[in-house]
Amino acid sequence: MPELPEVETVARGVDERVRGERIVAVHFSRFPQPFKTPATRQKRGLEDRKLLAIHRTGKHIVCELSAAGPERNTIPGPQAQWIVHLGMTGRLVVTAAEAPIAQHTHARICLESGRELRFVDPRRFGRLEWRDLGKAEPFTAAGLEPLTIGKKAFADLFCRRTLSIKAALLNQRLLTGVGNIYADESLFHAGIDPQRRAGDLSAVELERLRKALQQTLRRAIELGGSSVSDYVDAAGVKGFFQLEHCVYQRTGEACRRCKSPIRRIVLAGRGTHFCPRCQR
DNA sequence: ATATGGCCCTGGTTGC
DNA sequence: TGCAACCAGGGCCATA
């Protein structure tokens, strides 16, 4: 499932491929809308604008759009945004216009070069949103960015909280971009039991967790993310970080550090994997 | 206020 | 072998 490293990989890939392109046409499927903004308004809001840049905020892909029509080249800076959340199974891929249309393709953004930016999402947990920057503020995520957060801000997030540290890491209002894979993996690398109350962790443990989280996310970005389920990047290529997973989806297998079998429990409604010996 | 659990949705896996 | 029930989970919403 796409989390921060996967979303970062997709955003970079899309940016490399379509930056500067003009949108000539937009097609939405007429399925029940996986959209935050009605499809007709998104279509109107996208057509005849330029894709100025594509970047990631939390688990969201933000496409900065120019003004529409002739003003495209005279008004500088982004005038609107198209925001893509991949949900669990969402894919955002750049293809040739002739490429066969995959099942569950909900949006096709046709570009001047003849290529298309396609949003495909079987489970339809993804969300598409269009924002007019003349009327609304630029998109921001509720939580803080885990890659750049400092020691004190990180520790403050968990102070006096009674929920489990695993649930806290998944809470997007605290940190934005951490999902089930990277929560489990960083708790393993920090040697912390996911069931512990967030507010009970010592300053030393929290700093170990912050370092582990940042290292894990950086390494995963280097490897193009984790391809579990059917994640692929903007070019349809899989990531490789799943090969370095220590606990996620390794239930019953030997811990890479101590050889104890990895345990799986349900925490905060999510499958949670950990080594009962290494994580205290 | 904070925390928890149900819901959406489909494809892959499990079980009879 | 074939089919149905079950499970996965990010974010949102209702509830305690």
Side-chain angles (χ1 to χ4, degrees), chain A residues 50-171:
Chain A
K50 254 186 184 171
L51 287 157
L52 299 176
I54 293 90
H55 55 94
R56 175 197 65 79
T57 299
K59 291 181 197 171
H60 298 262
I61 298 165
V62 180
C63 305
E64 305 286 355
L65 302 165
S66 73
E71 294 180 331
R72 202 170 44 239
N73 300 315
T74 55
I75 304 179
Q79 303 299 311
Q81 290 178 322
W82 191 49
I83 300 134
V84 178
H85 191 294
L86 299 173
M88 286 235 348
T89 54
R91 306 201 309 255
L92 195 62
V93 289
V94 180
T95 66
E98 317 78 72
I101 296 171
Q103 218 188 339
H104 308 295
T105 299
H106 301 304
R108 287 191 296 131
I109 312 291
C110 308
L111 306 170
E112 199 158 31
S113 64
R115 291 178 304 168
E116 294 185 2
L117 182 58
R118 295 179 180 176
F119 175 67
V120 183
D121 185 15
R123 230 162 282 187
R124 288 195 261 157
F125 280 13
R127 288 292 176 265
L128 304 176
E129 179 186 354
W130 188 83
R131 232 176 230 254
D132 182 352
L133 294 183
K135 292 175 186 158
E137 292 299 306
F139 176 83
T140 51
L144 299 173
E145 270 292 330
L147 277 178
T148 49
I149 193 170
K151 181 176 177 174
K152 182 168 187 309
F154 189 80
D156 287 349
L157 287 179
F158 305 107
C159 186
R160 282 191 295 278
R161 290 195 178 266
T162 58
L163 79 177
S164 67
I165 185 63
K166 164 74 185 263
L169 285 173
L170 293 180
N171 186 337

Side-chain angles (χ1 to χ4, degrees), chain A residues 158 163-171 174 178-185 187 192-198 201 209 248 265-274:
Chain A
F158 305 107
L163 79 177
S164 67
I165 185 63
K166 164 74 185 263
L169 285 173
L170 293 180
N171 186 337
L174 300 179
V178 181
N180 214 27
I181 299 172
Y182 299 101
D184 282 3
E185 290 299 314
L187 283 166
I192 295 167
D193 185 330
Q195 303 167 94
R196 298 220 0 236
R197 286 182 174 219
L201 299 187
L209 179 56
Y248 185 77
I265 59 171
V266 175
L267 205 52
R270 299 290 172 256
T272 298
H273 314 74
F274 69 106

Side-chain angles (χ1 to χ4, degrees), chain A residues 154-251:
Chain A
F154 189 80
D156 287 349
L157 287 179
F158 305 107
C159 186
R160 282 191 295 278
R161 290 195 178 266
T162 58
L163 79 177
S164 67
I165 185 63
K166 164 74 185 263
L169 285 173
L170 293 180
N171 186 337
Q172 302 296 299
R173 306 189 73 84
L174 300 179
L175 288 171
T176 180
V178 181
N180 214 27
I181 299 172
Y182 299 101
D184 282 3
E185 290 299 314
S186 30
L187 283 166
F188 172 80
H189 289 295
I192 295 167
D193 185 330
Q195 303 167 94
R196 298 220 0 236
R197 286 182 174 219
D200 287 351
L201 299 187
S202 70
V204 171
E205 288 173 320
L206 285 169
E207 184 55 7
R208 228 162 56 213
L209 179 56
R210 185 180 73 95
K211 291 256 169 70
L213 177 60
Q214 294 185 341
Q215 271 171 24
T216 306
L217 292 172
R218 275 195 225 105
R219 176 67 180 153
I221 291 171
E222 273 175 29
L223 295 189
S226 300
S227 284
V228 296
S229 128
D230 48 5
Y231 163 76
V232 290
D233 70 10
V237 177
K238 291 189 176 195
F240 291 97
F241 190 69
Q242 67 280 7
L243 302 174
E244 296 189 11
H245 287 178
C246 290
V247 288
Y248 185 77
Q249 286 192 344
R250 293 193 67 242
T251 311

Side-chain angles (χ1 to χ4, degrees), chain A residues 25-41:
Chain A
V26 175
H27 303 285
F28 284 106
S29 72
R30 66 192 113 73
F31 260 112
Q33 312 205 340
F35 310 135
K36 277 193 155 176
T37 313
T40 46
R41 218 174 111 220

